[in-house]
Amino acid sequence: MEKQKTKRNCYDAFRNRVMLARRRRQIDPAFSAAHQLLAIFGLTALSIPMPTMSSRSGTHFQRTSDDRRQLSVTLGVAPRYVDIFLKSGTVPYSLLLDHLRGAATRKDALVELRNRMPRECLDWLTDIERDEDWKRLGLCRALDGDEQTELKMLRAAARWEEERALVLYGPAPVAHGGDGGAPPPVVKPNPDPDRPRL
């Protein structure tokens, strides 16, 4: 009697794949030991800190104090600011304002501020330096960056100029009836002509 061939279905194909996978899973002991050693080596290697790009480039550009002094003469920047200047092209106002607080760094910070500030602010800075009122400069610090800080410095210097002019020269010359140069009062139109103006 002949066996009747059964038609294969999806279940049979799945069962064949599972059986094949079980046969492949039988592990060779030599392969297993090599695999474990590789895993241990990998974990050990991961625990060692790898050098980053910044740390490698930082050691490459370490300068001695003599190098900084020579570069400071060439660049016209204090030696403490040479690395920052070479990196960004300017010394940030935020750093200079921080250095004004310390007695050891104040001189370099003032020199750099004089080189960096707009000309309109130099008299104002001289006044601040004379009074040692560093708080006035600190009020100009902006979180938005150097452009906003510079803008605040220009506004503060303009206000200082106006106040100084008032102190030195008194009120503006009389233009309209002895009121110190104030413009004449503006007459507002009466919206209701029948109602008397108070």
Side-chain angles (χ1 to χ4, degrees):
M1 189 162 153
E2 241 178 81
K3 276 190 176 177
Q4 192 177 10
K5 287 189 176 179
T6 59
K7 218 175 192 188
R8 303 244 169 175
N9 57 19
C10 294
Y11 173 75
D12 292 328
F14 175 71
R15 196 175 109 232
N16 282 339
R17 272 190 262 143
V18 169
M19 297 293 275
L20 184 63
R22 280 187 187 161
R23 276 187 233 128
R24 286 183 184 159
R25 256 190 255 151
Q26 292 175 351
I27 300 170
D28 181 20
F31 177 76
S32 176
H35 196 268
Q36 288 175 0
L37 283 173
L38 184 63
I40 291 170
F41 176 74
L43 288 174
T44 307
L46 286 176
S47 66
I48 299 170
M50 300 300 282
T52 59
M53 200 66 167
S54 61
S55 66
R56 272 186 274 155
S57 63
T59 56
H60 197 47
F61 290 99
Q62 293 282 331
R63 289 181 181 82
T64 64
S65 57
D66 291 335
D67 293 340
R68 280 197 191 93
R69 265 189 244 112
Q70 288 175 349
L71 281 170
S72 73
V73 171
T74 306
L75 299 172
V77 183
R80 78 175 68 244
Y81 301 128
V82 165
D83 292 331
I84 296 166
F85 186 84
L86 288 174
K87 186 176 179 183
S88 59
T90 58
V91 182
Y93 279 124
S94 57
L95 180 67
L96 295 173
L97 295 177
D98 285 342
H99 283 186
L100 282 175
R101 293 183 198 153
T105 55
R106 185 175 297 141
K107 183 179 175 186
D108 290 340
L110 276 170
V111 169
E112 188 57 34
L113 267 173
R114 285 195 181 288
N115 292 339
R116 177 111 197 266
M117 267 183 166
R119 272 184 313 144
E120 296 84 7
C121 299
L122 292 178
D123 291 338
W124 174 65
L125 180 62
T126 303
D127 185 60
I128 289 172
E129 187 179 356
R130 184 179 54 243
D131 297 342
E132 293 188 5
D133 188 9
W134 310 116
K135 188 177 178 183
R136 281 197 286 169
L137 260 174
L139 292 173
C140 295
R141 180 190 298 252
L143 299 175
D144 300 347
D146 284 356
E147 290 178 9
Q148 292 297 320
T149 301
E150 198 165 277
L151 187 63
K152 284 185 173 186
M153 286 178 179
L154 284 166
R155 287 180 185 154
R159 274 195 308 270
W160 174 77
E161 285 285 344
E162 288 172 2
E163 290 169 5
R164 196 176 90 170
L166 277 174
V167 170
L168 291 176
Y169 306 115
V174 176
H176 301 285
D179 53 0
V186 178
V187 178
K188 294 181 182 175
N190 191 357
D192 188 6
D194 296 335
R195 187 173 178 188
R197 199 181 279 188
L198 298 175

Short mmCIF file of all heavy atoms in Angstrom, two decimals, residues 2-27:
data_model
loop_
_atom_site.label_atom_id
_atom_site.label_comp_id
_atom_site.label_asym_id
_atom_site.label_seq_id
_atom_site.Cartn_x
_atom_site.Cartn_y
_atom_site.Cartn_z
N GLU A 2 0.60 2.09 -0.84
CA GLU A 2 1.39 3.32 -1.01
C GLU A 2 0.92 4.40 -0.05
O GLU A 2 -0.25 4.58 0.16
CB GLU A 2 1.20 3.83 -2.44
CG GLU A 2 2.49 3.85 -3.17
CD GLU A 2 2.28 4.31 -4.57
OE1 GLU A 2 2.18 5.53 -4.77
OE2 GLU A 2 2.19 3.45 -5.43
N LYS A 3 1.97 5.12 0.58
CA LYS A 3 1.62 6.22 1.48
C LYS A 3 1.15 7.41 0.67
O LYS A 3 1.74 7.74 -0.34
CB LYS A 3 2.83 6.63 2.31
CG LYS A 3 3.01 5.78 3.52
CD LYS A 3 4.07 6.42 4.37
CE LYS A 3 4.21 5.63 5.65
NZ LYS A 3 5.25 6.14 6.48
N GLN A 4 0.13 7.99 1.17
CA GLN A 4 -0.41 9.17 0.48
C GLN A 4 0.38 10.40 0.92
O GLN A 4 0.60 10.62 2.11
CB GLN A 4 -1.89 9.33 0.85
CG GLN A 4 -2.57 10.31 -0.03
CD GLN A 4 -4.05 10.37 0.33
OE1 GLN A 4 -4.48 9.83 1.33
NE2 GLN A 4 -4.80 11.03 -0.49
N LYS A 5 0.88 11.16 -0.04
CA LYS A 5 1.66 12.36 0.27
C LYS A 5 0.74 13.46 0.76
O LYS A 5 -0.28 13.74 0.14
CB LYS A 5 2.42 12.84 -0.95
CG LYS A 5 3.57 11.95 -1.30
CD LYS A 5 4.39 12.60 -2.37
CE LYS A 5 5.60 11.75 -2.65
NZ LYS A 5 6.43 12.31 -3.67
N THR A 6 1.13 14.02 1.89
CA THR A 6 0.32 15.12 2.42
C THR A 6 0.87 16.45 1.91
O THR A 6 2.08 16.60 1.68
CB THR A 6 0.34 15.14 3.97
OG1 THR A 6 1.66 15.27 4.37
CG2 THR A 6 -0.31 13.91 4.53
N LYS A 7 -0.02 17.32 1.77
CA LYS A 7 0.38 18.65 1.29
C LYS A 7 0.99 19.44 2.45
O LYS A 7 0.48 19.42 3.55
CB LYS A 7 -0.86 19.37 0.78
CG LYS A 7 -0.59 20.18 -0.42
CD LYS A 7 -1.88 20.74 -0.93
CE LYS A 7 -1.63 21.31 -2.30
NZ LYS A 7 -2.75 22.02 -2.81
N ARG A 8 2.09 20.07 2.18
CA ARG A 8 2.75 20.88 3.22
C ARG A 8 2.04 22.23 3.34
O ARG A 8 1.65 22.82 2.35
CB ARG A 8 4.20 21.12 2.87
CG ARG A 8 4.95 19.86 2.66
CD ARG A 8 5.98 19.73 3.69
NE ARG A 8 6.52 18.39 3.64
CZ ARG A 8 7.51 18.01 4.36
NH1 ARG A 8 8.07 18.86 5.17
NH2 ARG A 8 7.95 16.81 4.30
N ASN A 9 1.97 22.71 4.57
CA ASN A 9 1.35 24.02 4.81
C ASN A 9 2.34 24.94 5.54
O ASN A 9 3.49 24.57 5.77
CB ASN A 9 0.04 23.87 5.58
CG ASN A 9 0.22 23.15 6.90
OD1 ASN A 9 1.32 23.07 7.40
ND2 ASN A 9 -0.87 22.62 7.44
N CYS A 10 1.87 26.09 5.95
CA CYS A 10 2.73 27.10 6.62
C CYS A 10 3.27 26.58 7.94
O CYS A 10 4.40 26.86 8.32
CB CYS A 10 1.95 28.38 6.86
SG CYS A 10 1.49 29.22 5.35
N TYR A 11 2.47 25.81 8.64
CA TYR A 11 2.91 25.29 9.93
C TYR A 11 4.12 24.38 9.75
O TYR A 11 5.08 24.44 10.52
CB TYR A 11 1.77 24.54 10.62
CG TYR A 11 2.21 23.84 11.87
CD1 TYR A 11 2.46 24.56 13.03
CD2 TYR A 11 2.41 22.45 11.87
CE1 TYR A 11 2.89 23.91 14.17
CE2 TYR A 11 2.84 21.81 13.01
CZ TYR A 11 3.08 22.53 14.16
OH TYR A 11 3.51 21.91 15.29
N ASP A 12 4.11 23.55 8.73
CA ASP A 12 5.23 22.64 8.48
C ASP A 12 6.51 23.42 8.15
O ASP A 12 7.60 23.08 8.62
CB ASP A 12 4.89 21.69 7.34
CG ASP A 12 3.79 20.71 7.71
OD1 ASP A 12 3.73 20.34 8.90
OD2 ASP A 12 3.00 20.35 6.82
N ALA A 13 6.39 24.47 7.37
CA ALA A 13 7.56 25.28 7.03
C ALA A 13 8.12 25.97 8.28
O ALA A 13 9.34 26.01 8.48
CB ALA A 13 7.18 26.32 5.98
N PHE A 14 7.24 26.45 9.14
CA PHE A 14 7.67 27.09 10.39
C PHE A 14 8.38 26.08 11.28
O PHE A 14 9.42 26.37 11.87
CB PHE A 14 6.46 27.72 11.09
CG PHE A 14 6.78 28.29 12.43
CD1 PHE A 14 7.53 29.44 12.55
CD2 PHE A 14 6.35 27.64 13.59
CE1 PHE A 14 7.83 29.97 13.79
CE2 PHE A 14 6.66 28.15 14.83
CZ PHE A 14 7.40 29.32 14.93
N ARG A 15 7.80 24.85 11.41
CA ARG A 15 8.38 23.81 12.25
C ARG A 15 9.77 23.43 11.74
O ARG A 15 10.71 23.24 12.52
CB ARG A 15 7.46 22.59 12.28
CG ARG A 15 7.80 21.66 13.41
CD ARG A 15 6.81 20.54 13.52
NE ARG A 15 7.51 19.35 13.09
CZ ARG A 15 7.11 18.50 12.18
NH1 ARG A 15 5.97 18.67 11.58
NH2 ARG A 15 7.83 17.46 11.85
N ASN A 16 9.95 23.36 10.43
CA ASN A 16 11.26 23.04 9.86
C ASN A 16 12.29 24.11 10.20
O ASN A 16 13.44 23.81 10.52
CB ASN A 16 11.15 22.87 8.34
CG ASN A 16 10.57 21.53 7.96
OD1 ASN A 16 10.60 20.60 8.75
ND2 ASN A 16 10.03 21.43 6.74
N ARG A 17 11.87 25.38 10.15
CA ARG A 17 12.80 26.47 10.49
C ARG A 17 13.21 26.42 11.96
O ARG A 17 14.36 26.64 12.30
CB ARG A 17 12.17 27.83 10.17
CG ARG A 17 12.43 28.25 8.76
CD ARG A 17 12.04 29.67 8.51
NE ARG A 17 10.71 29.62 7.89
CZ ARG A 17 9.73 30.47 8.10
NH1 ARG A 17 9.92 31.49 8.89
NH2 ARG A 17 8.58 30.34 7.51
N VAL A 18 12.26 26.10 12.84
CA VAL A 18 12.57 26.02 14.28
C VAL A 18 13.54 24.87 14.53
O VAL A 18 14.50 25.02 15.30
CB VAL A 18 11.26 25.84 15.09
CG1 VAL A 18 11.55 25.49 16.53
CG2 VAL A 18 10.43 27.11 15.02
N MET A 19 13.33 23.74 13.91
CA MET A 19 14.21 22.58 14.11
C MET A 19 15.63 22.88 13.60
O MET A 19 16.61 22.52 14.23
CB MET A 19 13.64 21.35 13.38
CG MET A 19 12.31 20.89 13.90
SD MET A 19 12.42 20.24 15.55
CE MET A 19 12.89 18.60 15.22
N LEU A 20 15.69 23.55 12.47
CA LEU A 20 16.99 23.93 11.91
C LEU A 20 17.72 24.90 12.84
O LEU A 20 18.93 24.77 13.06
CB LEU A 20 16.80 24.54 10.52
CG LEU A 20 18.07 24.90 9.75
CD1 LEU A 20 18.89 23.65 9.47
CD2 LEU A 20 17.71 25.59 8.45
N ALA A 21 17.00 25.83 13.39
CA ALA A 21 17.60 26.79 14.32
C ALA A 21 18.10 26.10 15.57
O ALA A 21 19.16 26.45 16.10
CB ALA A 21 16.59 27.88 14.68
N ARG A 22 17.38 25.08 16.07
CA ARG A 22 17.82 24.33 17.26
C ARG A 22 19.12 23.58 16.97
O ARG A 22 20.01 23.51 17.82
CB ARG A 22 16.74 23.35 17.69
CG ARG A 22 15.66 23.98 18.47
CD ARG A 22 14.71 22.94 19.01
NE ARG A 22 13.57 23.58 19.63
CZ ARG A 22 12.43 22.99 19.87
NH1 ARG A 22 12.25 21.72 19.53
NH2 ARG A 22 11.45 23.64 20.44
N ARG A 23 19.21 23.01 15.79
CA ARG A 23 20.43 22.29 15.44
C ARG A 23 21.62 23.25 15.35
O ARG A 23 22.73 22.90 15.73
CB ARG A 23 20.25 21.58 14.10
CG ARG A 23 19.57 20.25 14.25
CD ARG A 23 19.56 19.49 12.93
NE ARG A 23 18.18 19.12 12.68
CZ ARG A 23 17.51 19.34 11.57
NH1 ARG A 23 18.11 19.91 10.56
NH2 ARG A 23 16.27 18.98 11.46
N ARG A 24 21.38 24.44 14.84
CA ARG A 24 22.48 25.41 14.71
C ARG A 24 22.92 25.94 16.08
O ARG A 24 24.04 26.40 16.24
CB ARG A 24 22.05 26.60 13.84
CG ARG A 24 21.98 26.25 12.40
CD ARG A 24 21.62 27.45 11.59
NE ARG A 24 21.45 27.11 10.19
CZ ARG A 24 20.78 27.82 9.32
NH1 ARG A 24 20.22 28.95 9.69
NH2 ARG A 24 20.67 27.43 8.08
N ARG A 25 22.01 25.92 17.05
CA ARG A 25 22.31 26.45 18.36
C ARG A 25 23.24 25.56 19.17
O ARG A 25 23.76 25.99 20.18
CB ARG A 25 21.03 26.68 19.15
CG ARG A 25 20.66 28.13 19.20
CD ARG A 25 19.56 28.39 20.15
NE ARG A 25 18.37 28.63 19.37
CZ ARG A 25 17.14 28.38 19.75
NH1 ARG A 25 16.90 27.86 20.90
NH2 ARG A 25 16.14 28.63 18.96
N GLN A 26 23.41 24.37 18.78
CA GLN A 26 24.33 23.51 19.52
C GLN A 26 25.72 24.11 19.38
O GLN A 26 26.27 24.21 18.30
CB GLN A 26 24.29 22.08 18.97
CG GLN A 26 22.98 21.40 19.24
CD GLN A 26 22.92 20.04 18.58
OE1 GLN A 26 23.79 19.67 17.79
NE2 GLN A 26 21.89 19.28 18.91
N ILE A 27 26.28 24.55 20.51
CA ILE A 27 27.47 25.39 20.51
C ILE A 27 28.73 24.54 20.60
O ILE A 27 28.81 23.60 21.39
CB ILE A 27 27.40 26.39 21.66
CG1 ILE A 27 26.17 27.27 21.48
CG2 ILE A 27 28.65 27.22 21.77
CD1 ILE A 27 25.88 28.13 22.66
#
